[in-house]
Amino acid sequence: PVSSSFVQLAYPWIRPERLHRTPEGLVPPDGPLVGILARNALERGSFRNAARLPSWTTAELVPALPGEHLRPGSDEPTGGERDPRLFEHVSLIGHTPEGVSLLSDVTLSADESYRSANTHRLVSAIVRAARVIGADAVFEPSGPVLWGEITRRLETTLAGFFAAGAFRGRTPAEAFQVRCDATTTRQQDLDEGRVIAEIVFQAAFPIERIVVSLALDASAELRTGGPLAVAGAGT
């Protein structure tokens, strides 16, 4: 089975208000899901959970899912069967008092901490911003001057996320920390042309702490220096 925080499955099929020339007038739900996520990013920020945002073009859902599929399930067997957990693994579109809306904004990640899609989007947005900073610094000599400049620019970037409400904490100092110095970039990294920065932040949703290690090497390629370390669990 596929297990990736880069993948979101949407369900069920949709019969839009304006009929399409498709079998039974149905269209797959990936288009409406992308539209909902795009509107969420523009209006609220990609780091926010998009659940409960309405799908404006939906007339009917096919098939209509039983209510037990539309809420978190249980791992405990019930009557010889495992309770359905579509809600926790699939981005479901369903009926709400506000109309047809996205019910769950989740990925296929096996790691519960990255199953919440907005967790993945927040980390991806930070990595993309750090990639721009790294590209500007790739030809600079590694040392305290460069490390200080990278730290300052990363802190400025993260302060913008903090101001937008992406992090938890009363002050930027509580919300995130950045390290790029001799404790993160060791002699072997210097010899191999790498600069490593470590970012620790507290997301605004239920995750205690996320640690991202970013490595910039001589090829100008910025990558995570190892597995992302996440403490806590988010849904």
Side-chain angles (χ1 to χ4, degrees):
V2 175
S3 174
S4 173
S5 61
F6 288 90
V7 178
Q8 284 186 254
L9 293 183
Y11 193 77
W13 287 72
I14 291 171
R15 182 174 288 121
E17 294 174 350
R18 180 176 298 177
L19 292 179
H20 286 242
R21 293 182 179 179
T22 56
E24 300 184 46
L26 297 176
V27 297
D30 52 346
L33 173 63
V34 170
I36 290 171
L37 296 180
R39 188 165 76 251
N40 179 60
L42 291 172
E43 296 178 355
R44 305 167 69 240
S46 62
F47 54 85
R48 298 191 187 279
N49 195 299
R52 307 295 291 189
L53 287 184
S55 176
W56 293 333
T57 61
T58 301
E60 185 181 357
L61 302 175
V62 181
L65 294 176
E68 64 265 21
H69 287 275
L70 304 180
R71 57 180 178 269
S74 169
D75 278 331
E76 297 299 323
T78 302
E81 299 289 338
R82 294 176 70 86
D83 286 347
R85 303 195 68 181
L86 281 179
F87 188 93
E88 297 163 0
H89 298 277
V90 178
S91 296
L92 292 178
I93 297 173
H95 294 282
T96 70
E98 295 80 22
V100 174
S101 304
L102 183 65
L103 301 180
S104 54
D105 185 14
V106 294
T107 73
L108 288 182
S109 175
D111 184 344
E112 290 189 8
S113 300
Y114 277 87
R115 195 167 296 157
S116 177
N118 51 317
T119 303
H120 174 78
R121 292 194 295 266
L122 174 59
V123 173
S124 296
I126 292 173
V127 170
R128 284 195 298 270
R131 203 179 295 273
V132 174
I133 295 172
D136 291 341
V138 69
F139 296 114
E140 299 296 326
S142 185
V145 174
L146 177 62
W147 301 339
E149 177 65 14
I150 289 176
T151 299
R152 183 187 64 78
R153 293 190 61 183
L154 286 174
E155 287 177 341
T156 299
T157 298
L158 295 177
F161 281 98
F162 173 77
F167 301 144
R168 185 171 67 245
R170 292 171 297 178
T171 65
E174 290 183 1
F176 63 84
Q177 297 85 43
V178 178
R179 281 197 308 138
C180 183
D181 52 30
T183 66
T184 61
T185 303
R186 304 185 183 278
Q187 186 60 48
Q188 182 178 349
D189 299 311
L190 290 172
D191 295 341
E192 297 177 358
R194 282 194 301 267
V195 175
I196 297 177
E198 184 179 88
I199 298 171
V200 180
F201 59 89
Q202 298 188 76
F205 26 91
I207 291 179
E208 294 178 6
R209 185 179 62 176
I210 299 176
V211 181
V212 181
S213 180
L214 302 170
L216 175 67
D217 60 27
S219 66
E221 179 182 356
L222 185 144
R223 64 187 187 279
T224 56
L228 301 183
V230 182
T235 55

